[in-house]
Amino acid sequence: MEAAAIVLAAGAGTRMKSKKPKVAHEVLGKPLVKWVVDEARAAGANRIVSVVGHLREQVIPLVEDCTEIVVQERRLGTADAVASGRAALAGFDGSLLVLSGDCPLITAETLSKLVEAREADNAAVVLLTMKLPDPFGYGRIVHDEAGCVCGIVEQKDATEAQRKIDSCNSGFYCFDSAWLFEALTRIDDDNAQGEFYLTDVVELAYREGRGVVEVVTSDPQECLGVNSRVQLAEAVKVAQRRINRCHLDNGVTMIDPDQVWIGPDVRIDSDVELYPQVFLMGNTVVGEDSVIGPNSRLTDTVVGKGCVVDETVALGARLDDAATSGPRAYLRPGAHLCEGAKAGTHVEIKKSTVGKGSKVPHLSYIGDAVIGEGVNIGAGSITCNYDGKNKHATSIGDGAFVGSDTMMVAPVSIGAGAIIGAGSTIAKDVPADALGITRAEQVSIEGWAARKRGRLEQK
């Protein structure tokens, strides 16, 4: 049977003390709501609706490329938020997951269990529950004498006896979609909050004998909601350890897993070694036998096989097999180190290709350049690519040698096999196999320094 999902992404998150809505805060480089959306997709939901409201201008860009957007105009409660998705899902008849957009630790496996349980019993509602030693703040699950779920009572509406119940609502459900949208028209806002609670439909289904199925999670951390900075930090730690354990099991070495942070979409081959204080985020890929050294942060970067990356910040960069970077290198978007190429100490490269076996070893900036194979760039060299208004390109041919402290004023081309004298400012093209040099004549004035010192001593 077809499955769809409604992700509730309209929460204000006032305890976050932030200008951002809580679902836009990130765990390991990924917004909370994106974690939930991606797990719903992995669980088989081929239609996903995001319900946005408060600060929606910040939330919509996060999900508009992967979900349908529905706006909850007024904050009237969770039932009203779900009802907002009725028009978007018109004609849909199947299992409808309703998910909290601020719970990034939920898994596709658990969501699939909810769908399977609903379809197995043709139930009106399946709810994911959890047992907590401290249930404060959560809705409590009320059971009848036979042990069946007969309702959910929110913390503010609970009696003293009900507040002692340790079985809690997680905020994750799977509904018969047709029944749900009809049932939402029959609930009211007669409660302490004056809101329309989605939880009220559980009692309604029970009274109508439509079937309420409870799935108890074995891992309550999956349902951890993020409503504060403390809970955000807790979610990061849980996600970090979960992801790192998976990579360790797949053959990745970490000297200290608690000091390695890996985003959920990162791919790492076996026999990769990760040192402490490594951050791998976004769609980063690391090939086998590569070593990522301490204090490195790679985002949306592709690292080939057998690379060594040490104290490097790389954003949208690419390193082919056996390339090396660092220590203290900065690879900006569009930086491409070809096979065996090197970006060394205090080197910044942006939107440039460094050819096979070429080296930029020390203290250099390379921007908007194409460097051929077997090129050596001397220390302190710069491609002067910006004229104050436009960026210009530099081309350096195979086998060229650029001496230290060279300024290459773009647009400029240095031919294959050319040699550039140290300390030159190259503003004109240099032919292949030529010597390019711009250097003022050296003058030595004998005795000048001694006379200078003498004048200083007299003063």
Side-chain angles (χ1 to χ4, degrees):
M1 185 178 291
E2 188 179 11
I6 290 178
V7 178
L8 305 182
T14 54
R15 290 167 58 200
M16 298 295 286
K17 295 185 179 179
S18 173
K19 296 183 291 294
K20 296 197 302 185
K22 62 180 177 180
V23 298
H25 285 266
E26 295 183 348
V27 166
L28 297 176
K30 186 173 183 176
L32 304 182
V33 66
K34 286 282 285 184
W35 284 77
V36 180
V37 168
D38 287 351
E39 293 304 308
R41 188 80 65 193
N46 47 30
R47 292 190 65 187
I48 302 178
V49 174
S50 294
V51 179
V52 300
H54 180 67
L55 298 176
R56 56 182 174 269
E57 67 279 359
Q58 296 184 49
V59 180
I60 290 174
L62 303 177
V63 293
E64 61 184 345
D65 63 335
C66 54
T67 73
E68 301 171 59
I69 305 296
V70 168
V71 176
Q72 183 187 18
E73 295 292 352
R74 295 182 297 168
R75 294 162 63 183
L76 300 177
T78 50
D80 179 70
V82 173
S84 300
R86 181 198 302 268
L89 292 171
F92 174 77
D93 183 18
S95 294
L96 178 61
L97 290 162
V98 175
L99 314 174
S100 299
D102 61 352
C103 297
L105 302 176
I106 194 67
T107 65
E109 180 182 4
T110 294
L111 297 182
S112 295
K113 289 179 180 178
L114 299 184
V115 175
E116 292 166 1
R118 199 209 72 77
E119 294 176 357
D121 289 359
N122 193 28
V125 54
V126 174
L127 61 156
L128 182 66
T129 67
M130 52 189 175
K131 288 188 176 295
L132 299 176
D134 180 11
F136 180 84
Y138 287 91
R140 307 306 202 279
I141 305 299
V142 181
H143 298 84
D144 64 14
E145 294 179 355
C148 299
V149 175
C150 59
I152 303 173
V153 59
E154 298 298 333
Q155 171 79 28
K156 291 185 178 181
D157 299 302
T159 65
E160 285 300 318
Q162 289 170 332
R163 290 179 181 180
K164 295 178 182 179
I165 298 173
D166 64 355
S167 181
C168 300
N169 182 30
S170 71
F172 290 93
Y173 313 87
C174 185
F175 293 98
D176 177 318
S177 60
W179 178 86
L180 171 65
F181 286 123
E182 188 279 327
L184 289 175
T185 66
R186 294 187 281 129
I187 63 174
D188 58 41
D189 60 354
D190 184 18
N191 52 63
Q193 294 284 80
E195 295 181 352
F196 295 93
Y197 289 157
L198 179 62
T199 50
D200 287 350
V201 300
V202 174
E203 182 179 353
L204 192 61
Y206 175 79
R207 291 203 310 261
E208 295 179 352
R210 283 300 311 269
V212 179
V213 176
E214 178 182 13
V215 174
V216 182
T217 179
S218 59
D219 181 11
Q221 288 184 323
E222 276 198 59
C223 310
L224 178 66
V226 175
N227 293 295
S228 67
R229 301 282 184 171
V230 170
Q231 291 175 337
L232 181 64
E234 291 172 350
V236 169
K237 180 56 67 175
V238 173
Q240 177 199 22
R241 289 177 173 169
R242 180 192 291 176
I243 290 172
N244 287 2
R245 177 59 185 266
C246 181
H247 288 294
L248 288 166
D249 289 343
N250 288 332
V252 175
T253 296
M254 301 179 200
I255 293 175
D256 184 351
D258 281 340
Q259 294 194 66
V260 174
W261 292 265
I262 303 172
D265 301 317
V266 172
R267 289 179 289 137
I268 308 176
D269 289 343
S270 61
D271 292 314
V272 167
E273 188 170 0
L274 305 178
Y275 277 69
Q277 295 299 312
V278 165
F279 298 79
L280 305 178
M281 298 294 156
N283 292 309
T284 292
V285 178
V286 183
E288 63 183 20
D289 299 319
S290 288
V291 177
I292 311 299
N295 304 316
S296 292
R297 175 165 55 90
L298 313 184
T299 303
D300 297 327
T301 292
V302 176
V303 178
K305 299 177 181 179
C307 295
V308 176
V309 179
D310 191 11
E311 288 189 81
T312 293
V313 174
L315 309 172
R318 175 180 170 187
L319 292 79
D320 292 346
D321 296 350
T324 61
S325 177
R328 294 172 292 284
Y330 183 20
L331 305 182
R332 292 168 57 189
H336 178 193
L337 304 184
C338 296
E339 184 179 353
K342 176 179 181 178
T345 307
H346 296 297
V347 168
E348 179 177 349
I349 298 177
K350 167 244 157 188
K351 199 179 178 181
S352 298
T353 297
V354 181
K356 183 177 180 180
S358 292
K359 300 177 181 180
V360 188
H362 322 283
L363 302 161
S364 295
Y365 168 72
I366 303 297
D368 297 281
V370 175
I371 299 175
E373 298 182 6
V375 173
N376 186 85
I377 305 294
S381 295
I382 294 174
T383 57
C384 307
N385 57 328
Y386 185 49
D387 64 8
K389 184 178 180 181
N390 299 307
K391 298 291 181 69
H392 300 282
T394 298
S395 174
I396 304 175
D398 294 348
F401 180 93
V402 178
S404 297
D405 197 28
T406 294
M407 304 293 109
M408 291 163 276
V409 184
V412 71
S413 176
I414 297 173
I419 295 177
I420 306 300
S424 295
T425 297
I426 302 300
K428 297 179 180 179
D429 291 351
V430 178
D433 296 316
L435 169 65
I437 186 168
T438 56
R439 187 178 298 164
E441 182 180 355
Q442 180 174 325
V443 177
S444 297
I445 302 174
E446 295 187 10
W448 186 91
R451 293 193 296 273
K452 175 72 172 176
R453 287 193 296 272
R455 289 194 296 270
L456 292 174
E457 289 171 359
Q458 291 173 8
K459 291 182 179 179

